[in-house]
Amino acid sequence: MKNNNDILSRAEENYLKEIFHLSGKEKDKVSTNALAERLDTKASSITDMLQKLKAKKLVAYQKYKGCSLTGSGEKVALHIIRKHRLWETFLVNKLSFGWDEVHAVAEELEHIRSKKLIDSIDQFLGFPKFDPHGDPIPDKDGNINYQESKIKLSDTSVKSIVEVVSVNEDSLALLKYLDEIGLRLGSEIEIYSRVPYDESIQVSIDCGDSISLSKKVTENIGVRFKSKMTNK
Amino acid sequence: MKNNNDILSRAEENYLKEIFHLSGKEKDKVSTNALAERLDTKASSITDMLQKLKAKKLVAYQKYKGCSLTGSGEKVALHIIRKHRLWETFLVNKLSFGWDEVHAVAEELEHIRSKKLIDSIDQFLGFPKFDPHGDPIPDKDGNINYQESKIKLSDTSVKSIVEVVSVNEDSLALLKYLDEIGLRLGSEIEIYSRVPYDESIQVSIDCGDSISLSKKVTENIGVRFKSKMTNK
DNA sequence: ATTTATTTTTAGGCTTGTCTAAATATTTAA
DNA sequence: TTAAATATTTAGACAAGCCTAAAAATAAAT
Ligand SMILES: [Mn+2]
Ligand SMILES: [Mn+2]
Ligand SMILES: [Mn+2]
Ligand SMILES: [Mn+2]
């Protein structure tokens, strides 16, 4: 069942995780350049590694055609993501880290190899379903709960009221900015108007003052529809 | 103050830590072969690395003369040891790991690079002074509290009563055996007699049944003298 | 349908950390 | 104090993971 070569290196784990993310819910093929950019390496390095991962049957790959995860590759990716998100949750919930301070550390912690450790952390945290950025945490069998009703704040229509359910964790600057303006998971956002030219929107956060959010911000915030504004 | 090349690799950190341990309280010079055995590598690999660490001014080293840590090398070693022991304490105190289950995981966790993380763990644990094996935990400035009165159980005299203050964490089998016979940190041991031939001793643990402990066991247990047995 | 631009792969090289085999120092024993 | 044993270092090699430069494939634009 488990042969000795499923002891994967940190680099291999990072590649698998990133292929999973770029592949998305639709399981699209992932291009060499896309991976190179996300992993901050050169395209030639990606090609090298894809050949190795293919030999280990963790990715499906054909020259010039992009790659995708195999069943076992996806299983590994989900386990790394589980560890990443549980550690982030631990840092925020137990050690009072800010949501902008956890990603870098979790990038290291996600590679710690101990089934017992991560399952204990899971239990210690009370089996959380979402991480501090609103991303779903895979369970120990790799089951993951996408929030079906989630849409981008940039895709909402004027006069609707929505609830923030996730934020893109990739940009430290974004997370700090959201902290500043008081936008967090669970915040209620009323969309007053949209400027067609730059697609910025005018909103209020948790019934606060009206504020403008740029497209660059709104496309990185996941929300769930709550209701239409009542005009009174 | 800090140049960019004090980002040390995992291997370098492990070498420094092991030199610290082998060097001991007396700061003895450490031989190439001793290091090779502990680090489970070949002597030639040790020589290579010592040359690199010397170039980085982390160890003092002269061909054929052994090595020792410099001031900054010792500082690094103490920081790794601090992390190792704090993580072990976390696993035992917060996640209910056994004292025999923590060392392997801590070998990985000790390399996580985040000042904030380890200081938060320290606080979360209430600034513990000793790890689950009774070893002192260096504070954030690298100060370490050796227990001056500690001696090996193998060096105690018959009819004395001692308290267990530490156990050698290196052998999984030893830790499991000690669990079995109910010997833990804080246990009171009465030494009844010693067999000169094999240096085994007859003892009772926490007033339990009399039991024989071999030299191999007793030389791996640290104790503190409490009193002489009263004959009644 | 060519030409041009972009993407991807190959070829060859570098560093880190390891190895084996051979050479050299040091220590121990005769 | 010389010879044998042991400890250590050097020489040369290798895998992993990355790089640059050049070649090849694919996609886009005339
Ligand atoms: Mn993250
Ligand atoms: Mn996250
Ligand atoms: Mn340990
Ligand atoms: Mn310990």
Side-chain angles (χ1 to χ4, degrees):
Chain A
M1 185 68 58
K2 289 215 169 192
N3 40 14
N4 194 15
N5 63 0
D6 48 18
I7 295 166
L8 299 179
S9 70
R10 178 174 297 221
E12 289 171 319
E13 291 186 343
N14 283 333
Y15 274 74
L16 294 174
K17 183 182 60 157
E18 211 49 57
I19 295 169
F20 182 92
H21 283 137
L22 288 171
S23 189
K25 221 183 298 185
E26 310 77 15
K27 310 290 178 202
D28 298 324
K29 288 239 175 111
V30 176
S31 80
T32 299
N33 269 1
L35 266 174
E37 181 172 1
R38 292 284 307 178
L39 290 170
D40 203 30
T41 58
K42 297 303 157 88
S44 55
S45 305
I46 303 290
T47 302
D48 282 353
M49 183 61 96
L50 288 180
Q51 286 163 351
K52 287 176 203 164
L53 293 175
K54 182 185 182 179
K56 293 189 179 188
K57 298 190 197 302
L58 294 165
V59 307
Y61 166 66
Q62 287 184 97
K63 272 189 180 193
Y64 297 102
K65 302 293 180 187
C67 69
S68 59
L69 294 177
T70 63
S72 57
E74 182 174 276
K75 214 178 123 191
V76 173
L78 281 164
H79 184 55
I80 305 299
I81 290 164
R82 166 174 164 79
K83 289 193 281 185
H84 183 103
R85 293 179 178 168
L86 280 171
W87 278 114
E88 286 188 340
T89 306
F90 170 77
L91 295 174
V92 168
N93 292 7
K94 298 293 182 180
L95 301 187
S96 306
F97 275 55
W99 68 356
D100 57 317
E101 299 176 302
V102 298
H103 184 69
V105 187
E107 284 296 313
E108 294 190 50
L109 286 164
E110 71 189 2
H111 300 289
I112 301 292
R113 268 174 248 282
S114 166
K115 194 97 184 63
K116 172 158 183 163
L117 173 56
I118 202 59
D119 291 343
S120 297
I121 292 278
D122 196 10
Q123 180 176 41
F124 189 59
L125 297 171
F127 305 103
K129 293 274 173 296
F130 299 97
D131 85 355
H133 311 103
D135 292 314
I137 300 172
D139 71 14
K140 58 167 64 171
D141 300 315
N143 303 304
I144 191 168
N145 250 301
Y146 296 107
Q147 302 183 75
E148 291 305 339
S149 54
K150 184 170 88 173
I151 55 172
K152 290 180 183 172
L153 179 53
S154 55
D155 293 339
T156 54
S157 53
V158 169
K159 299 226 181 291
S160 48
I161 299 175
V162 299
E163 180 189 343
V164 175
V165 297
S166 76
V167 297
N168 187 328
E169 68 174 14
D170 289 338
S171 163
L172 214 101
L174 173 67
L175 294 171
K176 283 182 173 164
Y177 171 64
L178 297 181
D179 263 344
E180 262 175 48
I181 63 176
L183 188 152
R184 69 206 84 208
L185 295 187
S187 284
E188 185 178 278
I189 297 187
E190 304 190 24
I191 299 105
Y192 293 128
S193 61
R194 174 182 310 271
V195 177
Y197 174 63
D198 64 358
E199 297 181 72
S200 68
I201 60 179
Q202 198 69 29
V203 305
S204 81
I205 299 164
D206 291 325
C207 305
D209 293 339
S210 178
I211 182 180
S212 169
L213 297 178
S214 71
K215 175 95 185 293
K216 188 168 178 191
V217 167
T218 58
E219 70 188 359
N220 284 301
I221 296 175
V223 298
R224 192 181 55 187
F225 181 78
K226 284 185 82 171
S227 65
K228 279 288 172 190
M229 284 170 72
T230 57
N231 331 19
K232 49 176 172 186
Chain B
M1 184 67 62
K2 290 217 168 190
N3 40 14
N4 195 14
N5 63 1
D6 47 18
I7 295 166
L8 299 178
S9 70
R10 178 174 296 223
E12 289 171 321
E13 291 185 344
N14 282 332
Y15 274 75
L16 293 174
K17 183 182 61 156
E18 211 49 57
I19 294 169
F20 182 91
H21 283 137
L22 287 172
S23 189
K25 221 182 297 186
E26 309 78 15
K27 311 289 178 204
D28 298 323
K29 288 242 177 107
V30 177
S31 78
T32 299
N33 269 1
L35 267 174
E37 179 170 3
R38 291 283 307 176
L39 290 171
D40 203 29
T41 58
K42 297 303 158 86
S44 56
S45 306
I46 303 290
T47 303
D48 282 352
M49 183 60 97
L50 289 181
Q51 286 163 351
K52 288 175 202 163
L53 292 175
K54 181 185 182 179
K56 294 189 178 187
K57 299 189 196 303
L58 294 165
V59 308
Y61 166 65
Q62 288 185 96
K63 272 190 182 193
Y64 297 104
K65 303 292 180 189
C67 69
S68 58
L69 295 176
T70 63
S72 56
E74 182 175 276
K75 215 178 121 190
V76 173
L78 281 164
H79 185 55
I80 305 299
I81 291 165
R82 166 174 165 78
K83 289 192 281 184
H84 183 104
R85 292 179 179 169
L86 280 171
W87 278 115
E88 285 188 341
T89 306
F90 170 76
L91 295 174
V92 168
N93 292 7
K94 297 294 182 179
L95 302 186
S96 306
F97 276 55
W99 68 357
D100 55 319
E101 299 176 302
V102 299
H103 184 71
V105 187
E107 283 296 313
E108 294 190 48
L109 286 164
E110 71 189 1
H111 300 289
I112 301 292
R113 267 174 249 282
S114 167
K115 194 98 184 61
K116 171 157 184 165
L117 173 56
I118 202 60
D119 290 344
S120 297
I121 292 277
D122 196 11
Q123 181 176 40
F124 190 59
L125 297 171
F127 304 103
K129 293 276 172 295
F130 299 97
D131 85 355
H133 312 103
D135 292 314
I137 299 173
D139 71 15
K140 57 168 64 172
D141 300 314
N143 303 305
I144 192 168
N145 249 301
Y146 296 106
Q147 302 183 74
E148 292 305 338
S149 54
K150 185 170 89 172
I151 55 172
K152 290 182 186 171
L153 179 53
S154 54
D155 293 337
T156 54
S157 52
V158 169
K159 300 228 182 289
S160 47
I161 299 175
V162 299
E163 180 190 343
V164 174
V165 297
S166 76
V167 296
N168 187 328
E169 67 174 15
D170 289 338
S171 163
L172 213 101
L174 172 67
L175 294 172
K176 283 182 172 166
Y177 170 64
L178 298 180
D179 263 343
E180 261 175 49
I181 63 177
L183 188 152
R184 69 206 85 208
L185 295 187
S187 284
E188 185 178 278
I189 298 188
E190 304 190 23
I191 298 104
Y192 293 128
S193 61
R194 174 182 310 272
V195 177
Y197 173 63
D198 65 358
E199 298 180 70
S200 67
I201 59 178
Q202 198 69 28
V203 305
S204 81
I205 300 164
D206 291 325
C207 306
D209 293 340
S210 178
I211 182 180
S212 169
L213 296 179
S214 70
K215 175 98 185 289
K216 188 168 179 189
V217 166
T218 58
E219 70 188 358
N220 284 302
I221 296 175
V223 299
R224 193 183 54 188
F225 182 79
K226 285 183 81 171
S227 65
K228 279 286 171 191
M229 284 169 71
T230 57
N231 332 18
K232 50 177 170 184

